[in-house]
Amino acid sequence: MASEAREISETRANVRGHARISWGIACLAVAALSALGIRLLWAWKEKMGSLHEVFYFHGITIWSLILLATILSGLAAAAGLFCLVRPVTARILGTLLRRLVRALVGMVVVVATLAWIYSLLAFTLLDSMCDLHQVTSDSGENVLMEPAYRPGSYYLWVQKSALVYEAVKGVETRTASGPVVPEMCGLESHGDSLMLSCGAGTVSFPKASPTATK
């Protein structure tokens, strides 16, 4: 009876160990895919920056996506290591060697956690600094505004596709007086051009061609 109970206990422990390993590998795969997503998003951001374009979708910017991928990668990596460390190190023969391996893994986790926290804080700061505001005309055209450092001036982007806006160049983007308040601005469509009015200041510029980022 004692041997049968021991065998049943060992079988259950093995099943739990295999389940933890499976979950750990799955979490690490999610972390790796999230890290790859961060690299791809960063490359896309750099490409759009060279074309003077920005990503925007209902308040979500490219920094929001990078921040989300960073959070997901860190949490998935932590969950994966939590699931894998004990069942994997339990297979190591020798108490001293097993403790040494666990200590090394712990040091790696601490360093990786500090790097993750640093990236998380940096991307959170960059996302909070991205002060984009969408202004929509009665006919459905959209532009993005971002107050500039110079009082009364702002940056302006016109919608190029569903998710991409391109910078408006060659026009004076300033209000007549006072700070920029995007909520008080109005957008009107006039044929192939748009007119943005902010207080007494008005700026006219052409619509973007409806094509995606190359």
Side-chain angles (χ1 to χ4, degrees):
M1 293 293 293
S3 61
E4 292 180 358
R6 190 184 311 108
E7 290 179 359
I8 293 174
S9 177
E10 291 178 353
T11 300
R12 290 177 177 176
N14 289 333
V15 170
R16 288 194 297 268
H18 289 306
R20 286 174 66 95
I21 292 175
S22 298
W23 278 109
I25 293 174
C27 289
L28 290 182
V30 172
L33 291 175
S34 299
L36 177 61
I38 294 173
R39 291 182 62 89
L40 294 176
L41 287 170
W42 190 272
W44 188 29
K45 182 195 73 67
E46 293 293 326
K47 182 178 180 180
M48 287 193 298
S50 66
L51 297 174
H52 305 285
E53 297 175 347
V54 295
F55 169 90
Y56 186 87
F57 181 71
H58 294 290
I60 300 174
T61 66
I62 192 69
W63 291 116
S64 303
L65 297 179
I66 293 176
L67 177 61
L68 178 61
T70 302
I71 294 173
L72 181 59
S73 65
L75 294 179
L81 290 175
F82 176 78
C83 292
L84 286 175
V85 170
R86 183 171 293 277
V88 171
T89 56
R91 300 172 184 269
I92 300 176
L93 299 178
T95 304
L96 181 60
L97 181 59
R98 183 165 55 249
R99 291 179 178 176
L100 178 61
V101 171
R102 288 181 177 176
L104 291 175
V105 172
M107 292 174 60
V108 172
V109 169
V110 170
V111 173
T113 301
L114 293 176
W116 178 70
I117 292 175
Y118 173 80
S119 300
L120 191 64
L121 292 176
F123 292 144
T124 301
L125 178 62
L126 290 170
D127 184 43
S128 64
M129 292 174 61
C130 191
D131 190 21
L132 294 174
H133 299 268
Q134 188 179 61
V135 181
T136 305
S137 67
D138 293 336
S139 55
E141 286 87 357
N142 296 305
V143 297
L144 293 180
M145 297 180 61
E146 182 180 21
Y149 294 107
R150 186 173 60 175
S153 61
Y154 55 91
Y155 302 109
L156 185 63
W157 291 267
V158 62
Q159 189 169 23
K160 186 176 182 180
S161 67
L163 303 176
V164 177
Y165 291 72
E166 66 177 358
V168 175
K169 302 176 183 179
V171 295
E172 181 69 15
T173 51
R174 287 181 58 85
T175 59
S177 61
V180 178
V181 183
E183 292 78 10
M184 301 299 293
C185 297
L187 183 66
E188 297 179 3
S189 176
H190 298 279
D192 294 332
S193 63
L194 296 171
M195 182 177 293
L196 180 68
S197 301
C198 293
T202 301
V203 59
S204 181
F205 48 92
K207 298 179 181 179
S209 56
T211 55
T213 303
K214 298 181 181 180

